Amino acid sequence: MSSAVWYFSRATGLVSLVLFTGVVVLGALGAGRFATRAWPRFAVAAVHRNLALTSIAFLAAHIASAVLDGYVSLSWLDVVVPFGAGYQPLRVGLGAVAIDLLLAIVVTSVLRTRIPPRAWRAVHWLAYLCWPVALVHGFGMAEDDAAYGWIAALDALCVLAVAAVVAYRATSARKFAALGGPR
């Protein structure tokens, strides 16, 4: 395959990171009952859901191009079975772990009306594990791209966005509890 496929794989991986960062940010805001006049809760939920679907499409393109590229030997099994790849087993394995967690989130979301809400919520909490695992996968794979400082800056912006929303959620939860809301 050409180097264009390799660049496509890298690009779709980076776009996936940015999109999934948005999904995590909107999911955390929505779970915290964030709303404004411009962004009512249903709008936050709709954008979260649609961004998640878009993210999955970019992730599928990232995975397919990485497997089909041929620059390194990756199989479709390496995508879902962690740490078995012949090429950078730890880094690729972290990507497989993130995929497995994401698959659990997607399947339970599709079945949300057929499973108990508590079970869906418990599995959906895996998103808070899936995102950093995928981020570390990207850090490791991008190590080869160390000359590109903008990739590190993009990673840092994603981390800052998630850290900011986590801080917001922690602060707003404390304020809500102080006003006598449920804990």
Side-chain angles (χ1 to χ4, degrees):
M1 293 267 168
S2 72
S3 62
V5 177
W6 183 85
Y7 283 113
F8 182 79
S9 180
R10 294 285 204 192
T12 53
L14 291 169
V15 171
S16 294
L17 172 64
V18 171
L19 293 173
F20 278 115
T21 298
V23 171
V24 169
V25 166
L26 289 171
L29 288 174
R33 310 258 189 255
F34 172 83
T36 67
R37 284 185 192 259
W39 282 88
R41 284 181 46 205
F42 76 88
V44 173
V47 173
H48 168 73
R49 187 173 34 259
N50 289 325
L51 193 58
L53 292 171
T54 304
S55 301
I56 290 168
F58 272 88
L59 183 61
H62 170 65
I63 292 167
S65 60
V67 171
L68 298 174
D69 180 14
Y71 177 71
V72 297
S73 179
L74 288 178
S75 72
W76 290 105
L77 196 59
D78 294 331
V79 172
V80 292
V81 177
F83 313 113
Y87 174 75
Q88 298 192 16
L90 177 62
R91 295 172 182 177
V92 173
L94 289 172
V97 168
I99 292 296
D100 293 344
L101 294 170
L102 180 63
L103 286 173
I105 295 164
V106 168
V107 167
T108 56
S109 292
V110 168
L111 299 174
R112 186 174 182 179
T113 59
R114 293 190 164 99
I115 61 174
R118 208 174 216 168
W120 174 84
R121 194 172 299 112
V123 173
H124 219 72
W125 273 91
L126 292 175
Y128 293 106
L129 178 60
C130 179
W131 182 84
V133 170
L135 180 73
V136 172
H137 159 77
F139 281 154
M141 298 308 283
E143 190 175 277
D144 300 334
D145 299 328
Y148 300 107
W150 66 270
I151 293 175
L154 182 69
D155 290 343
L157 285 172
C158 290
V159 170
L160 287 173
V162 171
V165 78
V166 167
Y168 169 79
R169 283 284 313 276
T171 304
S172 64
R174 273 187 255 141
K175 286 180 185 175
F176 186 69
L179 294 173
R183 296 176 194 197

